[in-house]
Amino acid sequence: MYTEVKHPLVQHKLSLVRDKDTGSKLFRELIGEISKFLAYEALREIPVKPVDVETPLETAKCHHVESEIVLVPILRAGIGMLDALTDLVPNARIGFLGMYRDHATSKPVEYYSKLPEAKDDSVAIVIDPMLATGGSSVAAITHIKEQGFKNVILICIVSCPEGIATVESAHPDVPIYTASIDRCLNSHNYILPGLGDAGDRLFGTK
Ligand code: PRP
Ligand code: URA
């Protein structure tokens, strides 16, 4: 299941983030802002439990989030979404997965993993701005499930039909939230029209 979040503010911010003349500072801010909109949608159905809260006047029937949220950015570019999501879910625990695409094969190479312990009610949210071939996301989700996480959600800013199909085929239970499903991949497995190399634009490495 995938959801393309087409809120007008998301579309506006996405137009700025795609612009090749947008520098790292604004790029980072926009990636954070779009991430919040996507997480807002992605977390719409998470379980809540009833709690009584004493207002100055009486008891109010309220709700607290019941699940433990675990944010898992895929290094490097996922780091660009992390601050925004910890603003939204301050109690989230955080796991890190280091992964890069081999330039020749476009296959993911895993180089780091540090995840918190999975609990029965944990919801792991994989965050990465780009879903291209889908190799990195599939490898990340597979790894996270092997560590005991049963509920996994994928949030990516820009995706494409190839990446969505790959993730859906490997992990049909994992909902995908994205701000745009772009046209296709180019011969180097970059998304078209895309936004270029997310990691380089976030961290100014090119
Ligand atoms: C990018 C991106 C994803 C991956 C997507 O990372 O952040 O992790 O590529 O491509 P895929 O769907 O084809 O696997 P990259 O390998 O460039 O590493 P970086 O974040 O360190 O720049
Ligand atoms: N990684 C990126 O940063 N951009 C793409 O278009 C594809 C993979």
Side-chain angles (χ1 to χ4, degrees):
M1 193 271 291
Y2 64 84
T3 304
E4 191 178 15
V5 177
K6 287 191 150 244
H7 191 289
L9 293 178
V10 172
Q11 291 183 312
H12 182 93
K13 291 173 193 302
L14 196 54
S15 77
L16 301 174
V17 99
R18 288 188 194 280
D19 190 329
K20 65 178 172 38
D21 293 326
T22 296
S24 283
K25 178 176 184 292
L26 180 56
F27 188 88
R28 275 196 290 270
E29 290 167 0
L30 291 163
I31 289 290
E33 289 166 13
I34 296 169
S35 299
K36 282 187 181 168
F37 280 96
L38 298 182
Y40 179 82
E41 287 301 326
L43 295 175
R44 194 178 275 282
E45 304 296 338
I46 54 164
V48 289
K49 62 180 176 208
V51 288
D52 286 346
V53 173
E54 297 304 324
T55 79
L57 300 177
E58 62 175 27
T59 303
K61 298 286 179 199
C62 299
H63 295 91
H64 278 177
V65 169
E66 194 170 35
S67 308
E68 179 182 73
I69 308 289
V70 178
L71 301 171
V72 187
I74 302 181
L75 309 181
R76 289 177 299 170
I79 292 286
M81 302 168 71
L82 184 60
D83 278 356
L85 296 201
T86 51
D87 282 351
L88 216 53
V89 192
N91 294 331
R93 291 197 294 163
I94 299 167
F96 292 94
L97 280 183
M99 218 167 264
Y100 68 87
R101 285 202 316 181
D102 180 88
H103 278 298
T105 64
S106 292
K107 299 280 181 229
V109 180
E110 296 185 34
Y111 61 88
Y112 184 75
S113 167
K114 186 80 181 173
L115 298 176
E117 196 185 328
K119 297 183 181 160
D120 284 345
D121 68 345
S122 297
V123 178
I125 304 184
V126 178
I127 54 178
D128 191 327
M130 308 306 281
L131 175 59
T133 65
S136 304
S137 292
V138 166
I141 295 165
T142 302
H143 183 88
I144 287 166
K145 286 182 174 175
E146 283 169 0
Q147 303 307 305
F149 289 90
K150 295 185 189 77
N151 299 308
V152 184
I153 297 172
L154 173 63
I155 298 182
C156 51
I157 308 276
V158 177
S159 64
C160 60
E162 296 90 327
I164 290 195
T166 300
V167 172
E168 285 197 319
S169 151
H171 297 291
D173 58 310
V174 173
I176 304 167
Y177 290 84
T178 182
S180 176
I181 303 168
D182 278 11
R183 197 173 71 250
C184 63
L185 295 172
N186 71 9
S187 57
H188 300 289
N189 288 322
Y190 272 75
I191 298 173
L192 295 176
L195 50 73
D197 189 304
D200 285 343
R201 294 194 65 187
L202 279 164
F203 302 118
T205 37
K206 252 187 200 149

